[in-house]
Amino acid sequence: MCIKLHFHLVILAIYFYAIHRIKIFFCFYIFAIIHELAHITMAAILKVRVEEIMLLPVGVCAKCEYIPNRLKEISIAAAGPLFSSIIGLLINDNFMKTVNYVIAFLNLIPIYPLDGGKILRGTLSIILGHKKSIRVSSTISKVIASIIFVFSVVLYIYFKNFSLLLLSLYIYIILREETKKDRILETIRKVLE
């Protein structure tokens, strides 16, 4: 397992330092790491190998080997939001409680590759089959990402809140990259059949 640091994370940390919000940034990031450790722990319990851990500007991402068992995939994806919610229930500090609830909520949005998107895709795969679940979950992800983007533009116009706009753009970029990977994997599967 290797650990990778995304360059944009460094830029974001410098930005938060410059605006005197570095403590908020580190608080969020520590709980994001704890959230991801829940995924890694569940993967270890289910004997799924974690290939790499990416430290990204919007959190931490543990990439597992291909999981053909959809129930394992759903369990691993659900472990992070569940653990963040439990921490939120147990902590007395309102700010830290809110951070954990926000992490859990954002990760449950059904946009692939967020946890909610993985849970949706895994569930659809059980119901519809793998190939159709990719198409349906991809469409749902694009629609929800578009709604979030429009909402973030409205927030920016009326409240000058730039952070959600950046987050929605970043989610769109990740979604686009995952869609490309899915097309490549589907092409490889067709060739191998």
Side-chain angles (χ1 to χ4, degrees):
M1 170 175 48
C2 67
I3 299 175
K4 295 181 179 179
L5 173 69
H6 196 283
F7 179 69
H8 293 151
L9 175 60
V10 176
I11 294 171
L12 191 63
I14 292 169
Y15 170 74
F16 273 91
Y17 178 78
I19 64 169
H20 308 291
R21 298 282 192 259
I22 196 70
K23 288 181 183 177
I24 293 171
F25 174 78
F26 277 122
C27 182
F28 168 79
Y29 219 80
I30 286 168
F31 283 115
I33 289 170
I34 292 169
H35 169 97
E36 210 60 32
L37 286 173
H39 292 300
I40 292 167
T41 303
M42 182 59 76
I45 290 168
L46 297 175
K47 297 182 179 13
V48 174
R49 190 171 68 85
V50 175
E51 295 177 339
E52 72 177 23
I53 298 171
M54 287 283 297
L55 303 173
L56 301 166
V58 292
V60 184
C61 177
K63 292 190 178 186
C64 296
E65 66 187 349
Y66 175 72
I67 308 168
N69 183 319
R70 296 298 160 225
L71 291 177
K72 283 185 179 182
E73 180 182 29
I74 293 167
S75 299
I76 292 168
L82 179 64
F83 196 70
S84 292
S85 298
I86 291 169
I87 291 173
L89 287 171
L90 298 176
I91 288 180
N92 289 328
D93 182 84
N94 283 336
F95 175 72
M96 290 187 199
K97 184 183 289 284
T98 302
V99 167
N100 279 284
Y101 287 146
V102 167
I103 289 171
F105 173 76
L106 288 177
N107 275 280
L108 284 174
I109 296 172
I111 298 174
Y112 194 82
L114 298 176
D115 299 333
K118 290 176 183 177
I119 293 167
L120 175 67
R121 182 177 284 186
T123 304
L124 288 174
S125 186
I126 292 169
I127 298 167
L128 304 172
H130 183 68
K131 194 183 291 188
K132 195 168 186 179
S133 72
I134 290 173
R135 284 196 314 271
V136 171
S137 65
S138 179
T139 301
I140 291 170
S141 293
K142 288 174 186 173
V143 168
I144 293 173
S146 298
I147 291 168
I148 291 172
F149 178 73
V150 169
F151 180 70
S152 66
V153 169
V154 170
L155 280 179
Y156 177 71
I157 291 169
Y158 288 105
F159 301 106
K160 302 302 180 218
N161 185 338
F162 195 63
S163 56
L164 187 59
L165 184 59
L166 285 176
L167 180 64
S168 67
L169 287 172
Y170 198 78
I171 287 172
Y172 175 77
I173 291 167
I174 292 171
L175 175 61
R176 191 179 66 185
E177 291 301 314
E178 289 299 321
T179 303
K180 284 181 190 175
K181 285 180 193 174
D182 284 340
R183 287 184 192 139
I184 291 168
L185 288 173
E186 195 58 40
T187 303
I188 291 170
R189 284 191 189 111
K190 285 178 183 176
V191 169
L192 294 176
E193 288 178 354

